[in-house]
Amino acid sequence: MRLPTLLLAGVFASLPFLYAQPIPSFDSDWLPITDAERQQKTAKVEKDAGAEALFWRVRIHDDVANGKVRRILYNYIRLKIFDEKGKETASAIELPFASSSSIINIAGRTVRPNGDIVELKRDAVHERDVVRGRGMKRRAKTFAMPGVEPGAIVEYRWVEVQAVRSGYIRLQFQREIPIQKVTYFLRPVSKVWVNANMGVAFFNCKPSPLKEDVREFHSTTLENIAAFKEEPMMPGEPNVRPWALVFYSTTDRSDPDKYWNKMGKDNYAWMRALMKASGEVKQATQTAVAGATTEQDKVVALIRYIRKNLRGLYDSNVSDAERGPILQELNKNGLRPVAKVLKSGIGSDGELNALFATMASQAGLEARPAWAADTTDLVFSPRIAEDYFLNTLVMAVKIGDAWKVYDVSTRELPAGMVSWRNEGVMALVSDPKSPHFIQIPTSEPEVSTIERNAVVSLTEDGTLRGQIRHTYTGHEALDIRQDLIHESEARRVELLKDDLVKEYPNSEITEVKLADVDDTDKPVVATFSVKVANYAERTGKRLFLNPLVARKGSSPIFASAERHHEIEFPYAWREVDKVVIRFPEGYALESAENPGSIDFGKPGSYSLQMGLSKDGALVCRRELIFGRNAMLHFPVQSYKDVKTVFDEIHRRDTHTLALRRQTPSNPTGGRK
């Protein structure tokens, strides 16, 4: 939530109904295919690419419908297929889109080398969830292009309609295949409606300067863009992909210090007008902090009170009838006064945080609205005079002599934590006199722990059976809760079981139980029974097994020998595995070598302990700690060292022990 964005959105939202019109038609016909395109036999951008985009054209048009500005993006891509690998790439197309957008008017065709044309059928287009980097989900339109073969030209068009809530738009120049030429056509919003100039900032690329085109459009072009290659544990995509930010502004950005000083004061004044405590707010504060003595106790009590008594705007238990009028007011004014939020019992993320800060002030605490950066976005520095990159409204409370940031809206975390997306980043604390930046600390590994306890037995045919318990805390629990918290109990169990089957391949998972998904002050606990046929490999009198049940069949985190992007782990974490394995009768350890522990310095450590209990069971304890001292980011030059550490961890995790069937002794000393 940012003041300039909200003001501009308010201007956009107030435009008159009489200007509304159907979606204009641009690039609705297929462009002629040239002889050079037909005859091209190999890729030009990446030598070994099986397919290449000859062009990607995007025309961006802002217009007004139903009294509100909508942004319409007309996309047109043409591909050339060179071999079977390219055929596979081009056969399945994904078009992801945000929840505030829609994709319509999808059309496509394949032009075969002999000139035959195969049209994409409407019923071939589907919509589903896709998982991107760091596990983040988005909706996407998906379809398979028909008749694709080496030598063919594949082209498709689609229109994306976005609800305009701010004067910003991101332009992407890279896709999953190499592109010869990307061209954007932009038409600035008329100054009849917005008295601001359009600006464009480019990141990780140097396209051609904007030039005026026909029909008041301005165009910019980037050529020879390599395919985007996602790598494990890489920085947020805006730090590695070529893109541009288009914005409208009347603000002077030549002096960042002056810019942020003004922004912090203006935002404070705007928020302060909304944070007036009514009698109901004062009474709620007294009720919430009753019995709390320390500053931290009061903060936790207030957060728990708000989470218990108010619903989030997009919670599953908020109906469309309840949500609709609030959204209309938010689109018009940005945020509602906190007294109105409390009375309604429903609030957006920013509104809940504003209510928290108001109540904190009533409880005698010093609280300020603050705007935080996001680790999944462009790495932010105060030298960047653009508040667009401070995209999370949180609240700063002075605890002792230091400011600490809180976020009421992240309900899936304990009261004192913020999302990993807002850890280790800068936040602007607003103030009427001296706004200033602080850095939000990164939580320690022990805060985000996954502990796996397994008590299992092995039979002579190699089958493993037993009970397993998983315990999740902190950010590890956040991932679980975000997937499950709005689901029914039966659906929660179903989704968790699907994940467990992936974690324990070739297993039968039964008797799944979940505890404390809704209580963020407690760990999430999952218990289940497991059966894995052929878990141990039998060879003659021997059984070979992996003692770390949860790690069997796991893959290395970093498989590639090469690295293009820096390494960035999302948060510090700790893993603990405790395993007890009972052997089949008559079997004993033949090879009991422990591959040992690893101390990899400041970032953390790995330990592996093995032994036998008094009754002869194998007992293993594994602990991995990573991210101490906020060491989560490593340059490309360190990839070899980071990979070596995790390869050694994987080698130990998949270490195999041998059991041998013992020859029975003859107590009588006679012949058998």
Side-chain angles (χ1 to χ4, degrees):
M1 252 343 142
R2 302 171 303 280
L3 178 60
T5 297
L6 293 172
L7 291 179
L8 190 54
V11 172
F12 282 156
S14 65
L15 297 179
F17 284 82
L18 57 88
Y19 198 68
Q21 57 183 334
I23 292 178
S25 178
F26 294 107
D27 292 339
S28 56
D29 296 321
W30 302 115
L31 295 177
I33 298 174
T34 67
D35 290 340
E37 290 172 338
R38 293 180 186 277
Q39 295 167 9
Q40 184 179 340
K41 302 298 182 183
T42 59
K44 295 181 179 180
V45 180
E46 293 184 7
K47 180 180 178 181
D48 297 325
E52 185 172 82
L54 304 177
F55 62 74
W56 176 21
R57 297 161 54 93
V58 187
R59 193 174 295 273
I60 301 174
H61 175 72
D62 288 344
D63 78 349
V64 183
N66 299 325
K68 297 179 182 178
V69 168
R70 60 183 179 180
R71 178 164 290 134
I72 308 171
L73 292 84
Y74 303 83
N75 290 267
Y76 181 2
I77 290 182
R78 176 174 289 171
L79 311 178
K80 184 64 184 284
I81 312 303
F82 302 117
D83 56 27
E84 289 297 323
K85 182 176 63 175
K87 173 184 174 181
E88 182 178 349
T89 300
S91 294
I93 307 297
E94 286 186 357
L95 305 177
F97 59 95
S99 59
S100 58
S101 305
S102 62
I103 288 181
I104 59 174
N105 297 352
I106 296 175
R109 67 174 188 168
T110 299
V111 181
R112 288 175 165 162
N114 63 5
D116 290 346
I117 297 175
V118 186
E119 300 283 349
L120 174 68
K121 295 182 179 179
R122 289 187 178 183
D123 59 6
V125 180
H126 306 281
E127 186 173 318
R128 64 182 181 88
D129 284 328
V130 294
V131 179
R132 304 303 297 272
R134 300 190 178 191
M136 301 176 72
K137 293 182 180 178
R138 295 188 70 182
R139 298 296 289 171
K141 296 283 189 178
T142 63
F143 51 92
M145 292 299 297
V148 180
E149 61 180 282
I153 288 177
V154 173
E155 52 186 355
Y156 50 96
R157 306 187 304 258
W158 73 98
V159 177
E160 182 174 359
V161 183
Q162 301 176 350
V164 177
R165 295 197 175 102
S166 74
Y168 297 88
I169 180 173
R170 297 191 184 207
L171 311 181
Q172 301 295 337
F173 287 97
Q174 192 174 39
R175 302 186 72 84
E176 281 63 33
I177 58 173
I179 309 173
Q180 290 184 17
K181 185 177 182 179
V182 178
T183 304
Y184 276 95
F185 302 87
L186 311 168
R187 190 167 77 171
V189 177
S190 171
K191 288 192 176 182
V192 172
W193 310 116
V194 177
N195 186 25
N197 296 317
M198 184 184 77
V200 183
F202 297 105
F203 299 90
N204 309 315
C205 61
K206 294 181 179 180
S208 65
L210 281 175
K211 66 177 182 179
E212 190 168 355
D213 207 332
V214 296
R215 290 179 288 187
E216 298 181 344
F217 282 90
H218 294 70
S219 65
T220 182
T221 296
L222 183 66
E223 297 185 355
N224 299 323
I225 306 100
F228 174 65
K229 295 178 175 63
E230 189 170 332
E231 295 178 318
M233 302 302 170
M234 72 179 194
E237 290 186 10
N239 299 287
V240 298
R241 299 183 79 148
W243 64 285
L245 180 67
V246 180
F247 56 92
Y248 293 88
S249 176
T250 59
T251 304
D252 181 12
R253 290 172 164 78
S254 60
D255 187 330
D257 292 336
K258 289 183 179 179
Y259 173 86
W260 290 119
N261 186 59
K262 183 179 186 303
M263 196 62 59
K265 291 177 179 178
D266 289 349
N267 285 357
Y268 177 86
W270 166 62
M271 289 294 298
R272 200 66 185 169
L274 302 172
M275 294 167 55
K276 295 179 179 179
S278 63
E280 290 85 353
V281 172
K282 293 177 181 178
Q283 181 59 52
T285 302
Q286 292 178 6
T287 302
V289 300
T293 55
T294 68
E295 293 174 329
Q296 182 64 25
D297 288 344
K298 290 179 181 180
V299 167
V300 171
L302 289 170
I303 294 175
R304 288 175 177 170
Y305 179 89
I306 293 172
R307 289 179 174 177
K308 179 180 179 181
N309 292 280
L310 283 91
R311 292 172 289 165
L313 183 60
Y314 292 100
D315 286 358
S316 58
N317 58 356
V318 176
S319 67
D320 291 338
E322 293 174 305
R323 187 181 297 115
I326 297 175
L327 283 174
Q328 289 183 357
E329 193 165 353
L330 290 176
N331 288 335
K332 183 177 181 181
N333 300 317
L335 297 177
R336 297 172 296 161
V338 296
K340 194 169 186 178
V341 174
L342 178 64
K343 189 172 183 178
S344 71
I346 302 172
S348 67
D349 292 353
E351 290 177 332
L352 296 179
N353 279 319
L355 176 60
F356 161 70
T358 306
M359 295 175 71
S361 296
Q362 291 299 308
L365 301 171
E366 191 174 354
R368 296 282 188 276
W371 281 262
D374 185 331
T375 60
T376 66
D377 206 342
L378 188 75
V379 173
F380 174 79
S381 162
R383 304 313 301 168
I384 301 175
E386 178 50 76
D387 69 322
Y388 171 80
F389 296 109
L390 298 182
N391 52 26
T392 305
L393 174 58
V394 292
M395 293 294 148
V397 179
K398 207 164 192 179
I399 304 295
D401 296 328
W403 290 97
K404 184 174 180 181
V405 168
Y406 297 92
D407 182 6
V408 179
S409 66
T410 309
R411 295 170 178 265
E412 300 86 1
L413 285 172
M417 291 186 70
V418 298
S419 169
W420 57 265
R421 297 174 63 151
N422 302 123
E423 287 190 338
V425 301
M426 303 298 291
L428 176 66
V429 179
S430 63
D431 191 85
K433 296 181 179 180
S434 55
H436 61 282
F437 280 97
I438 62 173
Q439 185 168 27
I440 303 175
T442 300
S443 57
E444 289 299 316
E446 290 77 7
V447 172
S448 301
T449 294
I450 174 170
E451 182 172 319
R452 295 173 284 251
N453 289 268
V455 179
V456 295
S457 298
L458 194 64
T459 61
E460 192 169 1
D461 65 357
T463 299
L464 181 135
R465 291 185 178 88
Q467 305 296 315
I468 299 179
R469 182 179 75 249
H470 286 191
T471 305
Y472 309 87
T473 66
H475 297 307
E476 294 287 352
L478 172 67
D479 294 341
I480 299 290
R481 287 190 166 107
Q482 286 182 331
D483 286 340
L484 304 181
I485 201 163
H486 298 305
E487 303 289 349
S488 67
E489 196 65 34
R491 181 60 176 159
R492 288 178 179 182
V493 170
E494 181 182 348
L495 290 172
L496 178 63
K497 185 175 179 179
D498 290 343
D499 288 340
L500 292 173
V501 169
K502 296 175 185 176
E503 188 171 353
Y504 296 86
N506 306 312
S507 63
E508 295 179 27
I509 304 292
T510 57
E511 300 177 318
V512 179
K513 296 180 181 179
L514 265 169
D516 297 319
V517 173
D518 301 300
D519 189 346
T520 56
D521 291 322
K522 297 180 180 178
V524 174
V525 178
T527 58
F528 54 97
S529 298
V530 63
K531 175 184 175 183
V532 188
N534 301 314
Y535 179 85
E537 180 183 352
R538 183 171 179 176
T539 304
K541 295 182 178 181
R542 293 178 176 83
L543 288 172
F544 297 92
L545 75 149
N546 184 336
L548 296 172
V549 179
R551 311 309 301 165
K552 179 178 172 63
S554 62
S555 300
I557 294 178
F558 302 106
S560 176
E562 298 181 351
R563 183 79 180 189
H564 298 92
H565 306 307
E566 296 181 344
I567 306 105
E568 185 174 292
F569 296 87
Y571 53 83
W573 82 98
R574 172 175 174 258
E575 298 177 24
V576 177
D577 289 84
K578 299 177 181 177
V579 183
V580 176
I581 302 179
R582 303 192 184 282
F583 303 150
E585 185 176 353
Y587 280 79
L589 278 172
E590 179 183 53
S591 173
E593 178 187 355
N594 182 350
S597 302
I598 310 172
D599 181 357
F600 38 88
K602 291 182 179 180
S605 60
Y606 173 93
S607 66
L608 180 60
Q609 301 169 348
M610 297 182 186
L612 294 176
S613 65
K614 292 181 179 179
D615 61 356
L618 176 65
V619 180
C620 300
R621 186 184 189 280
R622 168 192 183 269
E623 182 179 46
L624 169 63
I625 296 175
F626 196 87
R628 285 205 190 284
N629 307 298
M631 294 189 69
L632 299 170
H633 189 277
F634 303 88
V636 174
Q637 293 79 3
S638 298
Y639 177 65
K640 182 178 179 181
D641 294 334
V642 174
K643 174 177 166 57
T644 297
V645 167
F646 280 92
D647 283 350
E648 283 301 307
I649 290 172
H650 179 258
R651 185 177 69 82
R652 287 160 171 77
D653 283 348
T654 55
H655 180 67
T656 299
L657 299 180
L659 305 181
R660 182 181 175 89
R661 183 173 180 81
Q662 303 300 297
T663 303
S665 60
N666 187 354
T668 63
R671 293 181 179 272
K672 291 184 181 179

